[in-house]
Amino acid sequence: MFFVDTLETEGLGNRSYLAGGAVTAVAVDPPRDVERVLAAAAGRGVRIGYVVETHIHNDYVTGGLELARLTGARYLVPAAARVSFDRVPVEDGDSFAVDTGLELRALATPGHTPHHTAYVLAEEGREVAAFTGGSLLIGTVGRPDLVEPRLTEQLARAQHASAHRLAGELHDDVRVLPTHGFGSFCSASGAGAGGDVTTIGEERAGNDALNQDVDVFVAQMLAGLEDVPAYYAHMGPVNAEGPAPVDLTPPRTADGEEIAQRLAAGEWVVDLRSRTAFSRGHVAGTFNFEAGGSLATYLAWLIPWGKPVTLLAASPGQLAAAQRELVRVGIERPTAAATGEPSSWLRTGQSLRSFPRADFAALERALDAGQDIVVLDVRRDSERAGEYVRGSVHVPLHELRERAAEVPAGVVWVHCAGGMRAAIAASLLDAEGRDVVAVDDGFDAARSAGLTVADVPA
């Protein structure tokens, strides 16, 4: 009897898989921190015989090369992918015996990348699961614009054809097990990528790629594509070169004097504590990216690539968890770190800085009282379209560092859709000496307060 274990990386919206039989297993699109895969295999009592990549990933650093090295597994990579390391080049139709009665077959599914390959698992000759990577997702497909702008429309059409190939060659009961689409920016449609499980039959009934004419599908997909995190531009080259082994040993400890010197040198000092704790008291000039959640995505998106980073954490455990998240997106080693209370991170003579937090009801009261304030919306363009707080200024979070001068003078009340991105934005502005209020509230509350305008902004 076969098994499939799912290893979820929530912050990046990705899943990896371990599948196999009684003795041997295959790891599909493994994460950078391969200890998770090794632990899953140990829990099953199986040997990892194969490590496979559906494609050269553009959104995270793979652990495939390291996992193959550690386990002696055969490393299967699409033959058309240009890489700088030894691997087993996989062509369309190639098959591999995973365990007794269990076979893995490669199925070319270009679209997300030109070389994208899905892998179909068959037990005793009957197909049971398809590892679809960034091709057929749950309710949508992977976006086609991460490789080269000139190829985007061509790849979008290939993506449509690949979805139809999967649906045409596999029966309705085959489980669809994508790598992307659980909040990942690799998904072509965030709205269509919900749910946890699906099958070919369910996708045949509800996926636009399988129910729309190719021209309509491509036009709608291309019209809906949004910006992707800036660090995506670096992931493909890192993965093609072959990522180095991970070093998760604790970084050296920085004192208040060193932290001040690094800030003065223009380096990034990132406070990992909760947004509540940060707003109450923090070292002036530091940025707040809460540990957990989307730490890796947003820190790697905003920080200039290769910029030294020092991490400040409430505890060694929080620091270690953050290091693990960050190596997944190529932030290899913090330059330094400190843990404990923020008062211990101060240079002699310094004091902590703070700013208030509020909800949308408080914002309504401030506006009704005629206070001279600026409302800053840091949501993405698609979130802003159709409904926004009246009179607000719009600068998406990922553009704020470059466009901070566009934020008018005055006390800035900054909001997003739930509070996390607003906290990051507030810390960025606070570091520049602006007076800020972080709106830590869900956007539904803005509607309830009557603050929103339901028209597309000019």
Side-chain angles (χ1 to χ4, degrees):
M1 182 68 182
F2 79 98
F3 71 88
V4 177
D5 290 340
T6 302
L7 288 77
E8 191 153 7
T9 306
E10 292 184 2
L12 299 180
N14 287 330
R15 289 179 177 176
S16 303
Y17 302 94
L18 182 74
V23 177
T24 310
V26 54
V28 181
D29 289 339
R32 182 80 185 282
D33 45 331
V34 298
E35 295 88 351
R36 299 163 62 200
V37 187
L38 295 171
R44 286 283 187 177
V46 295
R47 175 181 64 86
I48 298 175
Y50 296 93
V51 176
V52 307
E53 304 283 7
T54 56
H55 59 296
I56 301 301
H57 301 282
N58 289 289
D59 62 325
Y60 70 94
V61 180
T62 181
L65 185 63
E66 178 67 359
L67 183 61
R69 184 187 71 80
L70 291 172
T71 61
R74 299 180 71 191
Y75 191 24
L76 311 184
V77 178
R82 302 184 63 149
V83 297
S84 300
F85 49 82
D86 291 334
R87 87 291 193 204
V88 177
V90 177
E91 301 280 3
D92 183 42
D94 286 351
S95 62
F96 305 88
V98 176
D99 202 302
T100 303
L102 204 59
E103 185 177 75
L104 194 70
R105 176 170 62 92
L107 197 156
T109 48
H112 187 51
T113 67
H115 59 264
H116 192 284
T117 301
Y119 296 86
V120 179
L121 188 68
E123 184 180 45
E124 302 298 343
R126 180 172 176 80
E127 294 152 341
V128 292
F131 301 102
T132 56
S135 53
L136 189 64
L137 310 185
I138 300 179
T140 185
V141 294
R143 58 191 298 162
D145 61 327
L146 301 181
V147 177
E148 162 57 53
R150 293 172 297 177
L151 297 178
T152 296
E153 181 173 350
Q154 173 186 330
L155 289 177
R157 293 181 178 277
Q159 191 72 297
H160 184 271
S162 291
H164 279 264
R165 182 183 185 190
L166 286 164
E169 294 191 16
L170 305 177
H171 60 79
D172 281 354
D173 293 339
V174 172
R175 293 169 62 188
V176 175
L177 301 171
T179 300
H180 305 308
F182 308 94
S184 168
F185 286 92
C186 278
S187 172
S189 168
D196 290 323
V197 296
T198 192
T199 63
I200 288 291
E202 289 169 337
E203 293 309 305
R204 185 178 286 114
N207 195 308
D208 283 348
L210 298 173
N211 290 281
Q212 289 182 339
D213 169 85
V214 62
D215 292 328
V216 173
F217 171 78
V218 169
Q220 289 187 1
M221 177 196 285
L222 299 186
L225 295 175
E226 289 192 276
D227 291 345
V228 294
Y231 70 88
Y232 275 28
H234 304 281
M235 298 295 94
V238 168
N239 286 325
E241 180 66 25
V246 170
D247 180 3
L248 291 175
T249 57
R252 64 182 191 76
T253 301
D255 59 15
E257 182 63 30
E258 181 179 345
I259 290 169
Q261 290 174 357
R262 292 192 176 280
L263 286 167
E267 296 183 14
W268 277 43
V269 179
V270 172
D271 191 325
L272 301 167
R273 295 175 302 142
S274 73
R275 55 186 184 257
T276 303
F278 182 87
S279 67
R280 284 198 301 256
H282 56 271
V283 178
T286 59
F287 303 141
N288 182 215
F289 291 78
E290 290 183 303
S294 299
L295 164 67
T297 294
Y298 282 100
L299 179 54
W301 194 340
L302 271 67
I303 191 171
W305 187 252
K307 178 77 105 175
V309 61
T310 295
L311 301 179
L312 308 179
S315 67
Q318 185 180 69
L319 174 62
Q323 281 186 258
R324 182 174 291 274
E325 285 191 59
L326 294 178
V327 297
R328 296 170 182 161
V329 292
I331 300 178
E332 298 295 332
R333 291 285 298 163
T335 303
T339 60
E341 293 298 322
S343 57
S344 67
W345 305 333
L346 293 171
R347 169 189 270 169
T348 302
Q350 276 187 323
S351 58
L352 295 174
R353 188 173 170 90
S354 64
F355 56 77
R357 296 164 56 250
D359 55 19
F360 279 110
L363 174 58
E364 179 189 24
R365 292 192 295 271
L367 291 170
D368 289 346
Q371 294 183 20
D372 183 19
I373 64 175
V374 178
V375 181
L376 176 63
D377 181 349
V378 296
R379 296 175 301 158
R380 295 191 301 276
D381 289 344
S382 63
E383 296 173 281
R384 169 88 172 179
E387 189 170 19
Y388 58 99
V389 174
R390 63 180 183 271
S392 59
V393 177
H394 180 225
V395 181
L397 173 60
H398 65 276
E399 299 177 6
L400 185 57
R401 287 278 291 168
E402 291 72 32
R403 298 176 56 192
E406 297 178 25
V407 181
V411 178
V412 183
W413 288 57
V414 57
H415 81 84
C416 58
M420 183 270 290
R421 287 172 293 172
I424 297 172
S427 75
L428 297 177
L429 293 172
D430 174 80
E432 295 191 1
R434 297 294 302 268
D435 291 327
V436 296
V437 178
V439 179
D440 195 358
D441 204 357
F443 196 73
D444 284 345
R447 300 188 187 99
S448 299
L451 292 173
T452 61
V453 178
D455 290 315
V456 176

